[in-house]
């Protein structure tokens, strides 16, 4: 997991020798993204395996921070998150759909983040970076999305810049939270 200071992004990498012999709740390692995430959504595995009886009642629906803020605030959160449909992100919408505010997809996750922050626009940044990464993984270049979104400054050491397609080195004792910070092209 990588902690960028305000959010966490977790990734798991397996050696190629694990292909076609690895299965789990996140999916199978067979090159088919369509069968990843058991049941197609992050919560579907839990839904599939849950068992209730008179001693273990069904849980309450998950907390939705937008519900507590009211319809006007929910609409404002949606408007902020729908910037994933605008430039530079719009070129990826046909490849990686953003989903809907009520169903699965990154739009619903984004709205939840923004509502949790009481509509602080900077809380959309982690979802924009996640969307850019998903697009980059589908060969749509959004590595410079920060050039178009001025309220998402990624803090980097002097002489370094942040790129969504930058390397994600493993944590070390000297750097427990590596990010996509890279040196600008042409520098040493």
């Amino acid at each position: 997991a990588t902690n960028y200071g305000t959010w966490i992004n977790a990734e798991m990498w397996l050696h190629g020798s694990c292909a076609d012999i690895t299965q789990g709740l996140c999916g199978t390692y067979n090159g088919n993204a369509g069968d990843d995430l058991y049941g197609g959504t992050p919560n579907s595995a839990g839904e599939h395996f849950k068992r209730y009886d008179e001693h273990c009642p069904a849980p309450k629906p998950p907390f939705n921070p937008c519900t507590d803020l009211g319809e006007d605030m929910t609409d404002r959160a949606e408007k902020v998150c729908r910037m994933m449909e605008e430039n530079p992100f719009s070129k990826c919408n046909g490849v990686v759909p953003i989903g809907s505010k009520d169903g699965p997809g990154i739009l619903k996750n984004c709205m939840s983040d923004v509502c949790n922050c009481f509509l602080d626009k900077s809380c959309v940044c982690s979802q924009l970076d996640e969307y850019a990464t998903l697009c980059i993984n589908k060969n749509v270049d959004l590595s410079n999305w920060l050039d178009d979104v001025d309220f998402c400054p990624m803090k980097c050491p002097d002489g370094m810049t942040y790129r969504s397609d930058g390397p994600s080195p493993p944590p070390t004792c000297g750097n427990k939270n590596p990010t996509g910070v890279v040196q600008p092209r042409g520098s040493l």
Side-chain angles (χ1 to χ4, degrees):
T2 327
N3 184 339
Y4 294 101
T6 56
W7 70 87
I8 293 176
N9 182 30
E11 294 181 16
M12 187 170 90
W13 298 88
L14 296 174
H15 188 270
S17 64
C18 298
D20 295 321
I21 60 169
T22 305
Q23 295 180 327
L25 294 178
C26 294
T28 58
Y29 184 16
N30 61 5
N32 178 6
D35 65 6
D36 289 348
L37 290 176
Y38 186 93
T41 68
N43 288 328
S44 56
E47 292 294 321
H48 175 77
F49 292 107
K50 73 181 178 183
R51 300 287 183 261
Y52 303 113
D53 60 27
E54 65 277 0
H55 303 293
C56 183
K60 295 177 184 175
F63 172 71
N64 181 342
C66 295
T67 303
D68 288 349
L69 295 178
E71 190 174 330
D72 179 55
M73 299 294 252
T74 300
D75 290 345
R76 289 172 55 191
E78 182 179 5
K79 182 177 179 184
V80 168
C81 292
R82 286 212 176 264
M83 68 184 304
M84 284 184 271
E85 295 176 321
E86 300 169 5
N87 283 330
F89 304 99
S90 60
K91 65 183 173 183
C92 185
N93 293 164
V95 178
V96 179
I98 65 168
S100 69
K101 68 179 187 175
D102 299 317
I106 200 164
L107 178 63
K108 183 178 179 180
N109 295 342
C110 178
M111 289 176 61
S112 179
D113 283 0
V114 172
C115 287
N116 259 327
C117 295
F118 301 103
L119 299 179
D120 180 346
K121 202 164 53 166
S122 67
C123 290
V124 76
C125 298
S126 65
Q127 295 296 329
L128 295 178
D129 191 56
E130 177 65 21
Y131 187 68
T133 301
L134 291 170
C135 293
I136 289 166
N137 289 340
K138 296 286 186 177
N139 298 317
V140 178
D141 185 14
L142 286 177
S143 57
N144 292 321
W145 69 270
L146 284 166
D147 294 346
D148 297 304
V149 183
D150 60 352
F151 60 85
C152 290
M154 300 294 191
K155 292 178 176 71
C156 298
D158 287 342
M160 306 288 267
T161 58
Y162 179 85
R163 290 177 52 97
S164 293
D165 65 346
S168 293
T172 65
C173 292
N175 184 2
K176 295 183 191 292
N177 300 308
T179 67
V181 174
V182 296
Q183 290 182 329
R185 288 191 177 107
S187 66
L188 297 174

